[in-house]
Each structure stands twice: as C-alpha cells, then as structure tokens.
C-alpha cells in the first residue's frame, strides 16, 4: 500500500525534474543566442535588462530597480556603474513625500517650514541611453522572433502563462518545502 501512495508523487517528481531541465536548457540556449546581438552594441545582458526596465517604467528608486531585477544591491550597483560609465544611465537623489504628522506634534519653530521626506537614490536613462535602447530593442525583438518561429501564438500564450504561474509566490510553498526537507 505504501508503494502505491508514493508512486504518483515519484512520477510527479521525475516529471518536475524533466520540466526543469528542459526549461533551463532552453533558457540557456536562448540566452546564448541573444548575447551576440547585445555584444555588437557593447551591452551586457544585465545592462540590457536594466535599460529595458528604465525605458518601460521611467525613473525608479534604486530599491525598486533591485526588486524588479530580482538582484541584490551590490550586483545592481555594479551594473549601474558600468552603464553610467558609458553614459547610458544617470543616478540621482529624490525625496519621498513627508510623513503625515499632526502639527501639534512638531516643534513650533518647524511648523511653518516645508518638510521633506526621506532621501532616496534614483536611476534613469540618459538621452543617449534612451536612443540606444530604442535602437537595440527592435533588433533584439527580431532576433527573438526568429528564434521562436516554431512556436505558434497559442503555444506562446500558454508558455507565458505557465512561466508566470511558476513564478507566483506562494507563502505556504516555502513552509511545505522546508518541512519536506526535514522529513526526507
């Protein structure tokens, strides 16, 4: 009876492992093919991701850029520094809106003065960076379209939905994963 209960779970595990291998192999293959066109423009993959994000969202706080790229502060800072050296991005400083505070809680001498919120670092594309990304994006899209020519529209939609589903954060998944490791 025990082996019957384990069989579907073992089958699922093997299938998940096979899917993982296919997904990572394909991702590495596409990345390798997409690297060459970027190198022609002297842009690394991480710089490209940063510039596309800034092109899409405009000026961002550094913490937002870190979250959107899914990387740590030091790693993002290195990418920004390289892009900054080539004049593609610009760092700046902005102030968040001041926190709401009742006037009665403020010292009398500061009640009439304008208040600034917390100071944060920002990043944005320079005009040169904007021109470059607007030049590179269509060419990059053409190369990608050529690579994906065997996948029809419905399959592409399914692939995108599946990838988004995999990336969805499940608060309880980490707990289940940790308890599964303890049991194993």
């Amino acid at each position: 009876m025990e082996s019957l209960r384990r069989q579907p779970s073992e089958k699922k595990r093997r299938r998940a492992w096979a899917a993982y291998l296919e997904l990572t192999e394909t991702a590495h293959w596409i990345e390798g093919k997409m690297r060459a066109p970027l190198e022609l423009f002297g842009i690394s993959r991480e710089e490209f991701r940063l510039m596309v994000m800034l092109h899409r969202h405009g000026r961002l706080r550094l913490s937002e850029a870190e979250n959107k790229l899914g990387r740590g502060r030091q790693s993002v800072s290195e990418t920004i520094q390289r892009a900054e050296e080539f004049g593609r991005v610009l760092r700046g400083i902005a102030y968040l809106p001041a926190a709401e505070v009742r006037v009665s809680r403020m010292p009398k001498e500061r009640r009439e003065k304008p208040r600034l919120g917390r100071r944060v670092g920002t990043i944005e594309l320079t005009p040169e960076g904007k021109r470059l990304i607007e030049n590179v994006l269509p060419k990059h899209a053409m190369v990608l379209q050529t690579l994906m020519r065997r996948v029809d529209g419905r399959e592409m939609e399914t692939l995108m939905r599946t990838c988004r589903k995999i990336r969805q954060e499940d608060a309880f998944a980490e707990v289940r994963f940790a308890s599964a490791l303890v049991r194993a």
Side-chain angles (χ1 to χ4, degrees):
M1 186 83 168
E2 182 69 31
S3 64
L4 289 177
R5 288 170 68 206
R6 284 188 173 203
Q7 191 174 9
S9 128
E10 185 61 32
K11 194 174 182 180
K12 275 185 173 180
R13 190 175 297 120
R14 278 196 215 119
R15 210 174 21 227
W17 182 252
Y20 162 77
L21 291 175
E22 287 294 328
L23 189 61
T24 56
E25 295 272 328
T26 304
H28 288 299
W29 179 81
I30 288 175
E31 261 186 45
K33 298 288 185 187
M34 298 303 288
R35 188 175 298 125
L38 291 177
E39 287 175 355
L40 289 174
F41 291 97
I43 302 173
S44 71
R45 185 177 65 87
E46 292 305 321
E47 265 184 284
F48 178 72
R49 287 184 63 211
L50 174 71
M51 292 173 69
V52 167
M53 180 187 64
L54 292 171
H55 182 67
R56 194 179 295 156
H57 300 287
R59 183 170 137 179
L60 291 174
R61 294 189 316 237
L62 290 174
S63 59
E64 290 174 317
E66 293 161 9
N67 289 338
K68 288 183 185 299
L69 291 171
R71 295 177 33 227
R73 180 177 297 257
Q74 184 174 357
S75 178
V76 172
S77 287
E78 288 171 6
T79 303
I80 291 170
Q81 185 175 356
R82 178 176 155 81
E84 209 173 14
E85 287 170 4
F86 287 104
R88 297 173 182 150
V89 298
L90 183 66
R91 290 186 215 226
I93 299 291
Y95 290 91
L96 296 177
E100 293 292 322
V101 177
R102 288 189 303 196
V103 176
S104 62
R105 295 264 182 204
M106 294 174 60
K108 288 181 182 177
E109 62 273 2
R110 296 186 67 200
R111 289 181 185 176
E112 300 298 319
K113 294 181 182 176
R115 297 178 49 240
L116 294 174
R118 195 174 70 145
R119 200 171 104 149
V120 294
T122 62
I123 182 168
E124 63 186 313
L125 285 174
T126 62
E128 183 182 328
K130 188 172 175 68
R131 275 192 305 277
L132 177 64
I133 200 67
E134 287 173 351
N135 185 19
V136 173
L137 267 176
K139 293 171 176 72
H140 200 70
M142 282 175 29
V143 172
L144 189 56
Q145 182 181 3
T146 303
L147 291 175
M148 301 288 264
R149 69 185 175 278
R150 291 189 186 99
V151 182
D152 69 31
R154 274 162 84 213
E155 290 172 325
M156 196 83 64
E157 289 294 326
T158 301
L159 177 62
M160 291 186 300
R161 246 189 341 268
T162 304
C163 289
R164 281 191 297 267
K165 193 173 190 177
I166 290 169
R167 286 192 315 261
Q168 280 179 349
E169 289 188 31
D170 181 359
F172 297 107
E174 291 178 25
V175 173
R176 287 191 302 263
F177 177 70
S179 61
L181 284 177
V182 170
R183 284 189 305 240

